[in-house]
Each structure stands twice: as structure tokens, then as C-alpha cells.
Amino acid sequence: MKTLISALALAALLAPGAAAAQNANLTANFGEVRLNAGFTPDPHRVNLTAGGSIDAYTDTDLPGACVGDISNAPDYEVTYSAGSLPLVFRTRSSTDTTLIINGPDGRWYCDDDSWGDGDAEVRFNKPSSGTYDIWIGTFNGGTASAALLITETP
């Protein structure tokens, strides 16, 4: 019986299908920060390289709104102590970028162009305290210089 259970477990691991490519448990590519409500300077800015070899739309189990080429590990990790202000994540780049965030509630939040001109924005009007793992993707493949802006100012 143990052999059958082991064989079934192995078969499930090797079965074809979408990969759970993004791993929030990996060390973030460009670091991490702890922010408390009312943080300064606002915005908190991180310069990084967006993109990766994983197509979020076709190669992952992420919701359909999640698009862009991303890396396996998050690009940045924010541990946030919430107050009464909103928490907003934005991208700034000369390339079309996307945002994929795994929130403290374990849900996925994604955006492509909400901040305009190919830049993404994910807004939490009533943010939770906890860890936000952030991936910044490129929409047309490859990698690109980008900035992640974290603000409490709408």
C-alpha cells in the first residue's frame, strides 16, 4: 500500500500542466523592506530589473489577469504594518511592465496598465498588515530597467 501511495504522489508531481512557477518563499531578487503606515520617504522607490523567463499567463497557475514575463523568485518583498492609509504599488519604466503581488491574505493581485503609459498599479484601499511579495514583469518579453514605487498617497 505504501508503494502505491508513493507511486501516486510521484505521478502527481510529474504530471504535465501549468507550473506553480512563482515561489514567495525564495529570497527576493532585489531585497526586502519593513514599512510602517506613515513611512517616509513616500514614495519608497526601488530600482530593479523587471522580467524573467516565466510567462505568467501560460506557464503558471495564476489568475488570468496575471500577465508578463517574470522570475521564479519575487523581485521585492514588503512587510507592512497597516494604518488607515491606502497602500499602492506602481511600476515606472520605458517598457510595458506588469505587477503581480501575493498579498498577506495569500491571494494574487495583478495589473498591466492601470497607471497609464504601460505602467502598472495595484492599490489596496484598506491594506492588511503582513508580507507582500512582488513580481514586476515585462509584457513583451526580455528584461528591462524599472522602478517599483510604494506609496500611501493615492
Side-chain angles (χ1 to χ4, degrees), residues 3 11 18 27 29 49 52 54 68 78 81 93 106 109 112 117 119 123 133 137 143 147:
T3 305
T27 301
N29 297 323
T49 301
I54 299 165
V78 175
S81 294
S93 180
Y109 301 86
D112 183 7
D117 196 29
D119 294 316
R123 175 185 302 265
D133 289 297
T143 59

Side-chain angles (χ1 to χ4, degrees), residues 8-9 25 32-33 74-75 83 87 108 111 113 115 126-127 130-131:
L8 290 173
N25 294 319
E32 60 185 73
V33 69
D75 290 309
L87 181 63
W108 294 95
D111 185 66
D113 292 327
W115 204 34
K126 294 181 180 179
T131 301

